[in-house]
Amino acid sequence: MNFIKTKLDGVLICEPAVFGDARGYFCETFRLDLLEKFCRENSPASFGGADKFEFCQDNESFSNAGVLRGLHFQLPPHAQTKLVRVVKGRVLDVAVDIRRGSATFGQFVSVELSGENKRQFLVPRGFAHGFLVLEDETVFAYKVDNYYSRECDRGVLWSDENIGVNWGDFFDVSRLNLSAKDLVQPRLNEAKELF
């Protein structure tokens, strides 16, 4: 497993080793020991001050091209670290720093995740997360280290110009498919509850 740091401290791209032959392929999609070792050796404070992960719930979604989900997060005490990946299809995955006082507050990093490249994205607590589906019949899966809480569920507007994600570089924004909830999220500077 190869871990790649991003410009946002604590956000990682994870690349599993893939072994393939004429029959198909094999890869380890998750190795807790390797992830924790990397985090211990590379700024544990970035990962919530701990070098341990306790993933407790796996989630999966199915979407067609143009679906945009996000930008979501949960407030403490139900904040979540997410380890996300695409089983089939392709997405543009985005993490936004929403930690007030952080040197990178309001900045984002994005990565393409696909069933083909097998990359994963570690999004720690204190970051909003979202993704744009780039192919029909995309299956998106992720681990979280805290259970879902409706009371702590929050978001920021996907199109906030102060964050500056240019989704239109990847898909015709006039054809985006968003939930009613995601259409009315506050802009980052208007959000009352962040980290």
Side-chain angles (χ1 to χ4, degrees):
M1 184 78 66
N2 183 37
F3 300 102
I4 302 166
K5 295 180 182 180
T6 69
K7 71 177 186 177
L8 299 180
D9 198 21
V11 177
L12 296 177
I13 298 168
C14 311
E15 293 180 329
V18 180
F19 305 95
D21 59 27
R23 298 168 300 159
Y25 70 87
F26 169 84
C27 69
E28 293 177 338
T29 60
F30 179 65
R31 281 282 305 263
L32 181 62
D33 60 337
L34 297 179
L35 177 61
E36 289 181 343
K37 180 178 185 287
F38 181 87
C39 294
R40 271 193 310 275
E41 295 171 354
N42 293 275
S43 183
S46 305
F47 305 95
D51 58 5
K52 296 282 185 193
F53 293 89
E54 295 181 10
F55 293 110
C56 60
Q57 181 176 321
D58 281 14
N59 301 320
E60 182 175 297
S61 67
F62 173 89
S63 307
N64 286 318
V67 169
L68 195 153
R69 299 182 188 270
L71 302 160
H72 303 147
F73 61 96
Q74 285 192 177
L75 294 170
H78 297 286
Q80 295 176 325
T81 293
K82 298 177 181 179
L83 180 62
V84 305
R85 68 188 184 104
V86 170
V87 177
K88 177 185 175 205
R90 194 166 58 100
V91 306
L92 175 71
D93 204 88
V94 175
V96 179
D97 188 344
I98 58 169
R99 301 169 299 168
R100 287 191 172 107
S102 165
T104 55
F105 177 76
Q107 293 182 30
F108 76 94
V109 66
S110 63
V111 62
E112 184 176 304
L113 305 178
S114 71
E116 186 175 319
N117 71 22
K118 307 274 184 273
R119 285 181 145 192
Q120 299 176 46
F121 206 31
L122 181 73
V123 182
R125 297 172 183 208
F127 292 82
H129 170 258
F131 62 93
L132 170 62
V133 180
L134 302 174
E135 283 184 14
D136 284 340
E137 299 185 0
T138 290
V139 178
F140 186 87
Y142 57 106
K143 297 181 173 307
V144 293
D145 69 348
N146 214 337
Y147 297 109
Y148 174 74
S149 167
R150 183 183 306 273
E151 296 76 29
C152 293
D153 187 29
R154 300 291 187 278
V156 292
L157 189 63
W158 65 278
S159 60
D160 186 341
E161 58 279 347
N162 294 311
I163 297 170
V165 179
N166 189 355
W167 306 97
D169 283 350
F170 303 91
F171 196 84
D172 177 0
V173 292
S174 69
R175 296 179 46 225
L176 290 180
N177 185 351
L178 291 106
S179 70
K181 175 180 97 171
D182 288 343
L183 287 169
V184 297
Q185 296 287 358
R187 286 179 167 72
L188 187 59
N189 64 359
E190 298 167 345
K192 294 184 174 87
E193 299 173 296
L194 295 172
F195 282 77

